[in-house]
Amino acid sequence: VAAVVAAAMASRRGMRVAAVVAALAVLAGAGAAGEAAQARQTLVVVESENVRKTHSQYLAKLGELASKSGGAVDVKVASDPTANLKELEEWSYDSLVLLAPTLTALGGDSLAETVTSFVDEGVARSVILVGSTEMSSEVRSLAAECGVAFTTPNGNVQDHFHYQQKSGDQTLLESSNYMQGNVVLSESAKKAPLLWRGVGQYVDPNNELAFSAIRGYSTSYSLPAGSSALTKDLKYSGEATSLVSLVQTRNNARVMVSGSMDMFSDAFFSGGSSNARFCEDVTSWVMGYKALLRAEGLKHRLVGATESQDVYRIKDELTVSLVVQQWDAVLQKWLPFKANDMQVELTMLDPHLRTTFQQNKVVCV
């Protein structure tokens, strides 16, 4: 067992224990996500048999990541009638990878409705959704359900400055405009530019559940297919153009949306690009193989006391403690989570208190 015990002091007015538990519901919920993350059963739906060949390295990496945690990957062509998330009305998989941009239905039902139910009805489920200039309206609708809007109409992102010079193709972007921090992307994934060609997305900056893993540049813009005129919608231009978007829902599901099938291809994995490492990092995050926390052992008591109370009064000094662990996919075990910015929030009608946990004990047995 590895544990980090954090404690916070607080003065509160007549607060019941239920309020303390509710304030930490998000952290406590991470425990359920952690328990489900190790052995994932993944369904991969590809557009055609040819995708098995053109994207063989990525498909192999999916299998490798799953097998390390005791999971398995089923790869099926979109036209295969057995490509279904459900069997006898029970969900058969924990994760779904859609490398089939023109797909409209899954298991005979609407793709958007089926996958939305798959995400909503489970705990810590994972979805990787890939679009293209030929994507179906169902793929577009599914992305919108996740808070990610594809460019309307379909058209490749272009950039006259940040493209692969040797190809001369201004839709073949080379972007190093990665998200900050190393929670999702490792430093090694950021050492080279990402090769990317496809449809851009927009993530509302007010959406606290969605964010961009990599963006275009100020010189990037979306050009509708078959048109020489720029889209008038400025949200699909400049650095507002998201190339790969990530979402974490309130039930701990994780989703990745990309408008580029090429990004995952064998051709783009070579030539000194970061595609192989980038795709591994974002896939590991979506599947819960990295950046996954669980919380347990929530305790609260008066300072100096040994037992919890049901109600606390004004000017009572409180100690709140929590055990937080992080999953290590390499070691296949839970390790102490070390951070100095984790907060606890205690709210009643009045007053409102937010304070930072202090790590005061690390135990590894």
Side-chain angles (χ1 to χ4, degrees):
V1 177
V4 175
V5 182
M9 303 287 293
S11 295
R12 292 298 297 137
R13 171 181 315 209
M15 172 178 290
R16 294 187 178 278
V17 173
V20 182
V21 175
L24 293 170
V26 174
L27 281 175
E35 294 298 341
Q38 279 62 254
R40 305 186 74 82
Q41 304 303 311
T42 301
L43 173 63
V44 181
V45 181
V46 296
E47 187 81 15
S48 64
E49 283 290 350
N50 188 53
V51 175
R52 292 180 187 266
K53 302 175 182 178
T54 59
H55 292 64
S56 62
Q57 293 183 44
Y58 180 66
L59 294 175
K61 178 57 68 174
L62 281 173
E64 177 187 330
L65 292 172
S67 62
K68 285 181 179 178
S69 297
V73 173
D74 291 337
V75 182
K76 299 185 178 183
V77 179
S79 58
D80 187 340
T82 66
N84 196 346
L85 284 170
K86 275 187 173 182
E87 184 175 350
L88 300 176
E89 297 303 314
E90 296 290 334
W91 297 110
S92 304
Y93 296 94
D94 306 297
S95 306
L96 174 66
V97 179
L98 291 172
L99 298 176
T102 64
L103 194 65
T104 58
L106 196 59
D109 297 317
S110 161
L111 176 68
E113 291 181 5
T114 299
V115 179
T116 300
S117 296
F118 172 72
V119 171
D120 290 344
E121 294 175 13
V123 176
R125 292 211 165 117
S126 306
V127 175
I128 293 176
L129 176 65
V130 184
S132 72
T133 54
E134 291 81 33
M135 79 178 87
S136 67
S137 59
E138 285 288 319
V139 168
R140 181 180 290 278
S141 296
L142 178 55
E145 288 287 342
C146 298
V148 179
F150 276 114
T151 305
T152 304
N154 292 337
N156 285 329
V157 177
Q158 296 202 22
D159 197 308
H160 299 292
F161 297 92
H162 301 93
Y163 67 96
Q164 190 183 61
Q165 299 291 327
K166 65 180 181 180
S167 70
D169 183 359
Q170 295 181 354
T171 66
L172 180 51
L173 273 58
E174 287 187 334
S175 179
S176 297
N177 196 4
Y178 297 108
M179 63 181 295
Q180 296 182 349
N182 56 8
V183 174
V184 177
L185 298 178
S186 60
E187 291 304 317
S188 60
K190 303 177 184 179
K191 288 183 178 180
L194 180 77
L195 279 180
W196 191 94
R197 178 171 51 212
V199 182
Q201 306 132 51
Y202 174 75
V203 178
D204 189 335
N206 295 318
N207 184 346
E208 60 184 17
L209 302 178
F211 56 98
S212 178
I214 184 169
R215 296 181 178 276
Y217 291 93
S218 59
T219 49
S220 303
Y221 63 92
S222 294
L223 188 66
S227 171
S228 59
L230 301 181
T231 175
K232 295 181 180 180
D233 199 336
L234 294 180
K235 70 183 182 182
Y236 296 116
S237 63
E239 292 194 20
T241 302
S242 177
L243 306 183
V244 178
S245 306
L246 302 176
V247 182
Q248 175 152 328
T249 67
R250 298 192 188 280
N251 66 345
N252 289 317
R254 289 177 175 179
V255 180
M256 176 177 74
V257 180
S258 173
S260 173
M261 276 287 288
D262 289 336
M263 183 185 86
F264 301 90
S265 68
D266 295 353
F268 279 36
F269 271 33
S270 58
S273 72
S274 71
N275 287 54
R277 190 54 194 266
F278 177 90
C279 290
E280 179 180 352
D281 279 355
V282 293
T283 299
S284 295
W285 182 84
V286 172
M287 297 294 183
Y289 299 139
K290 66 182 295 184
L292 186 73
L293 303 181
R294 73 175 181 183
E296 58 188 10
L298 173 64
K299 297 179 181 179
H300 49 85
R301 57 180 174 80
L302 291 171
V303 174
T306 58
E307 300 293 333
S308 299
Q309 295 183 191
D310 291 333
V311 177
Y312 298 103
R313 302 297 182 186
I314 187 171
K315 295 186 178 180
D316 283 348
E317 286 196 333
L318 214 69
T319 294
V320 179
S321 63
L322 188 66
V323 178
V324 184
Q325 301 168 312
Q326 180 170 341
W327 176 249
D328 189 301
V330 177
L331 299 177
Q332 289 291 295
K333 63 187 295 186
W334 291 101
L335 298 178
F337 176 64
K338 300 178 182 179
N340 58 9
D341 58 354
M342 183 177 293
Q343 295 183 325
V344 57
E345 186 173 290
L346 308 175
T347 305
M348 207 173 174
L349 292 178
D350 179 63
H352 173 90
L353 177 67
R354 179 184 296 148
T355 187
T356 303
F357 277 110
Q358 296 178 355
Q359 180 179 309
N360 63 4
K361 188 178 182 182
V362 177
V363 179
C364 295
V365 180

